[in-house]
Structure formats: C-alpha cells, structure tokens
Amino acid sequence: DEKVLLGMKEGQHQEPLVYNSEVEVVSDAMEIVLGTRLPEKAFYGSRARTLMQLSIDEVKTQCTKWKDTCGLMYARHFLVKEPRLLAKDPALLLRAMEMFSTTLNLSPQECVSFAMRNSSLVAQNITKEHIQGAVSELASIIDQPEAVAAKLLTRCTLLLSLPHGSITARFEALAALLPVTRMRLASACKRRPLLLLGSVQRLATHLVRWI
C-alpha cells in the first residue's frame, strides 16, 4: 500500500492550503507570452510564494527566456509541470540534463524524457555530487554495480530528494528492526526501492509479512 510505505495513515489528509489569488496576474502574463496558463497547483503553498515575488515584467522576461532556450512546446511543458521553474534561469534545465546523463547513465533522449517527468528535481537544483552520492549509497546497500542503482533511482526518484546519507540510514534502521538477514532486506530493497521511503517503524511492521 503506497500510503503505508510513505508513512501515511488511512484517511489522513494534508492541512488545507490557502489559495493565493495574486498568482492570477502571473498566470495572465504567462498566457500573453506562451499562450497557456498556470495550473491550479501554482496557486498554493511554496509555488505560490515563489511566483508572487515576480513582477509582471519579470514573468514576461522569464517566459521569453524559456521559450527562446527550449522552444515553445518544452517551455509550456516545464513551466506548467513545475511552476517554480518560472523563477529559474532556463540554463538550469540544460545543466540538469547534462548532470542526469553523467550520473544516471541516460542517453540524450532519455535525459529529456527524465527531466520532463521529474521537473521538480530540476527546480530543486540538486547537485551532481548529491545524485552520485545517492547512486553510491544505493549500490552499496543492494550490493550491485552503480549502473544498476542508477537505473533503480530513475524509477524511484523520491530517493534523490532525500538528504545525503538518508538512504543508508533508513536501510540500517530497517535492518535493526526487522528479523531478517541484511542480504534478504537488500534483495527486497532492490525489488522495491520505495521501501527506503516513509516511516521506518511503520514500514518495519508491514515488511515482516512481505520479506
């Protein structure tokens, strides 16, 4: 159960978010340049706070930069998928794709597809060292080559958002809680890397019957 793996209780909901109508002017300016509006998620939380700091002129300038750098279709895709990118220089995307290529062993086309699916990673501006660290940690845990770990991380990208050392720490915590060998636990993590996310105690309770 995905909610269990992520440490959520059945019926648990996030606190209500406040709609920020001020983002409407940002969406209006974006529509003028790119012919599309911001999605609903842009009006809430950290995305809204980021966008509200931009002036109308800055929004238009940023939209033009994204269009000139990526082309209209890709600019629309990335800014709608992750509105926080509107406050970032589009060169960030190019650097991110180069980084994905070298750290996750992706071809140029795979880099584009990966970035399109994981635009929030681009917005986080994570470093090459951070991704390489996650690859090394996971490879060590599952006792497999880094190429295998990199492949797994492209399918479980939430692990890339964890602080350095967290993947190892979560594995060690599970190993201490579960009555199974480390080899068996590592095999389970290789099959399902999502096991390394969420509440360790809650995971341990449910993993006993899975492993």
Side-chain angles (χ1 to χ4, degrees):
D1 184 277
E2 301 299 318
K3 289 182 179 179
V4 169
L5 288 178
L6 295 177
M8 297 173 63
K9 297 179 181 178
E10 195 66 39
Q12 181 178 3
H13 300 286
Q14 291 182 333
E15 290 296 319
L17 296 174
V18 177
Y19 179 86
N20 294 277
S21 59
E22 295 92 333
V23 178
E24 287 286 358
V25 295
V26 178
S27 191
D28 290 341
M30 178 172 163
E31 186 175 25
I32 290 172
V33 180
L34 299 180
T36 191
R37 298 184 65 80
L38 289 167
E40 184 178 358
K41 63 186 176 183
F43 292 80
Y44 298 91
S46 63
R47 291 185 175 96
R49 290 191 292 273
T50 297
L51 296 172
M52 287 163 56
Q53 296 176 19
L54 301 174
S55 69
I56 293 179
D57 286 342
E58 286 173 330
V59 172
K60 291 180 179 178
T61 297
Q62 284 295 98
C63 286
T64 300
K65 283 183 179 180
W66 276 88
K67 182 175 68 173
D68 291 346
T69 301
C70 307
L72 180 60
M73 182 184 74
Y74 286 118
R76 284 175 173 173
H77 174 89
F78 281 105
L79 297 180
V80 169
K81 185 81 180 291
E82 181 45 78
R84 286 176 295 182
L85 288 173
L86 189 54
K88 306 284 188 179
D89 192 301
L92 175 67
L93 174 62
L94 304 180
R95 292 195 298 270
M97 287 195 291
E98 181 180 358
M99 178 177 62
F100 296 150
S101 175
T102 57
T103 58
L104 299 175
N105 302 315
L106 299 176
S107 69
Q109 186 55 51
E110 287 173 332
C111 285
V112 173
S113 298
F114 183 80
M116 291 178 73
R117 293 194 310 271
N118 300 281
S119 50
S120 61
L121 280 179
V122 179
Q124 289 174 36
N125 197 20
I126 60 176
T127 65
K128 179 178 180 180
E129 291 72 23
H130 181 89
I131 295 181
Q132 186 57 57
V135 171
S136 297
E137 280 187 70
L138 186 57
S140 177
I141 286 170
I142 64 176
D143 193 25
Q144 292 289 319
E146 291 194 350
V148 174
K151 188 73 172 179
L152 290 173
L153 287 170
T154 63
R155 301 201 300 264
C156 188
T157 55
L158 287 174
L159 288 174
L160 293 174
S161 297
L162 294 177
H164 177 68
S166 293
I167 296 176
T168 299
R170 286 169 180 269
F171 178 83
E172 293 297 337
L174 284 173
L177 287 170
L178 288 169
V180 296
T181 65
R182 293 173 67 89
M183 184 180 297
R184 195 172 178 187
L185 178 58
S187 178
C189 290
K190 179 184 175 183
R191 295 194 309 270
R192 198 171 188 184
L194 187 64
L195 297 178
L196 295 167
L197 291 167
S199 165
V200 172
Q201 288 77 13
R202 184 173 297 278
L203 277 168
T205 300
H206 290 269
L207 277 173
V208 170
R209 71 173 186 271
W210 291 348
I211 296 178

